Amino acid sequence: MITLSYSPLYCSTRNFQLPNPSLFANLYGGLAVTKRYPLRAAASLWDSMRSSFLNNNTSQLIEPLPDEEEEVPQEIVLVEKTQPDGTIEQLMFSSGGDVDVYDLQALCDKVGWPRRPPSKVAAALKNSYMVATLHSIRKSPDAEGNDQKELIGMARATSDHAFNATIWDVIVDPSYQGQGLGKALVEQLIRALLRRDIGNISLFADSKVVDFYKNLGFEPDPEGIKGMFWYPRY
Amino acid sequence: MEIVRNITTTPPLFISTNPSHVKLNQLTHLFFSSNFSSHRFPNLHYNGNQRVVEAVNVDKLRIALLHSSVVVSVFCKPSCCEREKGENETFSFGRELMERVVPVSESNGELVGFGRAVSDNGLTASIHDIVVLPSLQGLGIGRKIVRRILRVLIARDIYDIGALCSEKERLFFEACGFGDDILGSTAMMYTRAPPTLSHYNSQDVKHAGRMLLLVPQSRQPLSSSMTND
């Protein structure tokens, strides 16, 4: 399945409509679930009434535009290598594209993560604040326009868009690990979150990767704050 | 004027999961009365020997409510919230009757409890901002809030529910059925500060309460020459 995330026309259209593509996803994610639609409508009605009352014409359901000084770019080519046979391989970071759930499942299999129901994964990706991906694009010198694109890394963050954010599912293909790609993914997430003044950035790290995150500026149990999870008791 | 906690039984409560029932001014008042901040490391100032957290940013709070998957609010009649010592209130029979007969709702009640959860509506959720008015704490209202949040999340098929807890909150969440992660994960937060302030302009440093956070450098797009990382 070919995703259009790196087609310039697709990216610029989404950029034109809304400044923050992940907010765009959240908006439609919220309206697509019929159960939650009335709540969203009520909240947006209250909000639009309040904003018109205060004569603040920038806030409807979409909050005011963030400062446009430095946008987190949609796509960056992080690495470009030329193989001996002439094929060019690009490693491209993207923050606005769609992730194919089955590509992600294949990647999770490679690192040995348990499988999760695809519908839930799709919903989780759609409703995440930001999904950062790394793709490897192979362009052979002879074939015109026939690029091979493969998902080799992903990280996502959920957030309430104001105070708290949690980073989940940071994953890099084992054959591409050790190059600083995971670091790039997480750093871009942090950058995007801090730009919106979302200050409580947390994550739950496996014991094996605690040092990896320490290196990125994360502190375990800061000031005694621990993570707890719910366990149903029967 | 002393506030005496002679409330030993839970007053009649109205628990709502409708986000539009929460009025922002009531919520900021509740946060203020409970000395609560949404920042994990809030700015503090000292009023005598009391630590008082900074007031919450109302715009950010509004945005946070809009993007929270579950919002729970608890109301009770204003007369049930606080008893002020030395004040004898005797109502007329008609008013007393109305007070007892009309059930509490979001329009006639005072906001005394609040809680919310942020979720991706698929796999995971995290609980934030559980607040109960101090004069009504210890009566099980907080636990009711958490149980209602859990109920809503489970109805949406989300079972991976976490919470970041300070030392004080840990006992509370244990009582609500939370425990350490069975997979043994460690909760971590981004706390990297800039080494020296003078070298960075405001774009590279962000405030989160009293924390100063360094914004990581942006990765520049690569030029198309051949390079190996």
Side-chain angles (χ1 to χ4, degrees):
Chain A
M1 177 179 141
I2 297 182
T3 57
L4 295 175
S5 61
Y6 60 98
S7 154
L9 184 62
Y10 183 76
C11 281
S12 61
T13 310
R14 291 181 83 184
N15 262 332
F16 175 73
Q17 285 195 339
L18 281 165
N20 186 345
S22 49
L23 174 61
F24 177 84
N26 264 337
L27 202 64
Y28 278 78
L31 290 178
V33 179
T34 32
K35 256 192 179 172
R36 290 181 54 214
Y37 180 74
L39 296 180
R40 284 261 171 179
S44 69
L45 178 64
W46 155 245
D47 212 52
S48 55
M49 281 167 58
R50 183 171 183 266
S51 66
S52 59
F53 180 69
L54 295 173
N55 202 21
N56 179 1
N57 55 1
T58 55
S59 64
Q60 293 117 28
L61 187 54
I62 305 165
E63 57 252 29
L65 298 177
D67 51 322
E68 300 284 346
E69 309 159 7
E70 261 183 273
E71 283 283 343
V72 174
Q74 286 274 18
E75 289 175 355
I76 320 170
V77 177
L78 286 180
V79 176
E80 191 168 304
K81 286 185 266 200
T82 305
Q83 314 283 8
D85 61 353
T87 328
I88 301 177
E89 187 192 16
Q90 282 181 336
L91 299 183
M92 183 147 71
F93 165 88
S94 163
S95 63
D98 291 322
V99 179
D100 181 75
V101 168
Y102 294 100
D103 285 345
L104 182 58
Q105 197 176 71
L107 186 57
C108 289
D109 288 344
K110 282 188 203 171
V111 297
W113 282 5
R115 282 202 173 182
R116 299 169 294 190
S119 56
K120 282 193 161 192
V121 175
L125 290 173
K126 194 166 64 168
N127 293 311
S128 294
Y129 174 78
M130 178 169 161
V131 179
T133 52
L134 273 173
H135 284 96
S136 143
I137 302 174
R138 282 207 167 84
K139 305 181 187 191
S140 29
D142 45 347
E144 329 78 32
N146 266 359
D147 300 341
Q148 274 188 318
K149 191 178 177 198
E150 196 193 341
L151 180 70
I152 56 166
M154 189 201 77
R156 70 184 179 97
T158 55
S159 170
D160 60 9
H161 296 231
F163 295 109
N164 304 293
T166 311
I167 297 181
W168 305 97
D169 296 345
V170 179
I171 182 171
V172 175
D173 190 314
S175 46
Y176 288 89
Q177 284 179 10
Q179 291 181 34
L181 294 173
K183 187 168 172 208
L185 279 174
V186 177
E187 278 184 349
Q188 288 291 53
L189 280 184
I190 297 174
R191 189 177 169 79
L193 289 167
L194 285 177
R195 258 190 64 249
R196 294 288 294 271
D197 274 319
I198 299 171
N200 295 336
I201 302 175
S202 55
L203 50 81
F204 300 99
D206 257 351
S207 44
K208 291 183 287 188
V209 290
V210 171
D211 287 327
F212 168 73
Y213 289 108
K214 271 192 192 166
N215 204 13
L216 280 167
F218 286 86
E219 196 184 318
D221 300 338
E223 295 193 10
I225 294 178
K226 279 199 191 293
M228 300 183 82
F229 287 86
W230 177 65
Y231 296 106
R233 304 216 176 108
Y234 300 108
Chain B
M1 194 162 54
E2 225 180 77
I3 297 172
V4 175
R5 251 206 63 198
N6 56 355
I7 307 164
T8 48
T9 57
T10 323
L13 301 170
F14 173 67
I15 306 182
S16 162
T17 51
N18 187 339
S20 61
H21 285 171
V22 179
K23 306 284 178 284
L24 271 176
N25 57 337
Q26 283 189 326
L27 188 56
T28 49
H29 181 73
L30 173 64
F31 278 19
F32 175 72
S33 310
S34 316
N35 200 21
F36 178 80
S37 169
S38 294
H39 288 296
R40 275 288 152 187
F41 309 104
N43 277 317
L44 302 167
H45 67 267
Y46 288 86
N47 187 2
N49 56 354
Q50 268 195 330
R51 289 179 353 158
V52 179
V53 301
E54 59 181 336
V56 67
N57 181 327
V58 180
D59 291 320
K60 287 187 87 165
L61 192 56
R62 177 169 53 88
I63 294 171
L65 289 186
L66 272 180
H67 291 103
S68 296
S69 308
V70 186
V71 174
V72 172
S73 42
V74 180
F75 299 88
C76 85
K77 286 275 175 70
S79 52
C80 302
C81 299
E82 286 179 15
R83 298 281 155 77
E84 284 160 5
K85 191 177 182 181
E87 203 172 312
N88 274 329
E89 288 200 47
T90 49
F91 295 133
S92 66
F93 175 71
R95 181 161 173 198
E96 187 79 40
L97 183 67
M98 289 303 289
E99 285 267 330
R100 286 181 185 276
V101 161
V102 174
V104 61
S105 72
E106 81 283 0
S107 42
N108 63 16
E110 189 182 315
L111 183 69
V112 299
F114 175 80
R116 64 186 179 94
V118 179
S119 162
D120 55 21
N121 291 323
L123 295 169
T124 60
S126 49
I127 297 185
H128 299 286
D129 296 354
I130 308 284
V131 193
V132 176
L133 205 64
S135 56
L136 290 173
Q137 284 176 5
L139 294 174
I141 297 179
R143 202 179 322 170
K144 276 193 170 67
I145 296 174
V146 173
R147 286 213 327 234
R148 179 60 63 98
I149 295 176
L150 290 175
R151 210 170 89 186
V152 174
L153 289 173
I154 292 169
R156 296 187 198 163
D157 229 14
I158 299 170
Y159 297 95
D160 201 359
I161 304 166
L164 283 177
C165 323
S166 60
E167 302 267 0
K168 292 185 300 177
E169 294 161 353
R170 209 171 308 161
L171 284 173
F172 168 71
F173 277 101
E174 267 179 27
C176 293
F178 283 66
D180 289 329
D181 185 22
I182 43 170
L183 299 175
S185 65
T186 315
M188 304 178 84
M189 289 191 68
Y190 185 71
T191 52
R192 175 166 284 169
T196 50
L197 274 179
S198 53
H199 284 68
Y200 296 90
N201 57 24
S202 61
Q203 282 183 10
D204 294 324
V205 174
K206 288 286 174 177
H207 291 260
R210 66 181 136 89
M211 297 281 287
L212 274 173
L213 299 176
L214 176 67
V215 181
Q217 290 278 345
S218 171
R219 295 290 174 116
Q220 297 303 322
L222 208 58
S223 60
S224 58
S225 56
M226 296 185 277
T227 42
N228 245 334
D229 201 25

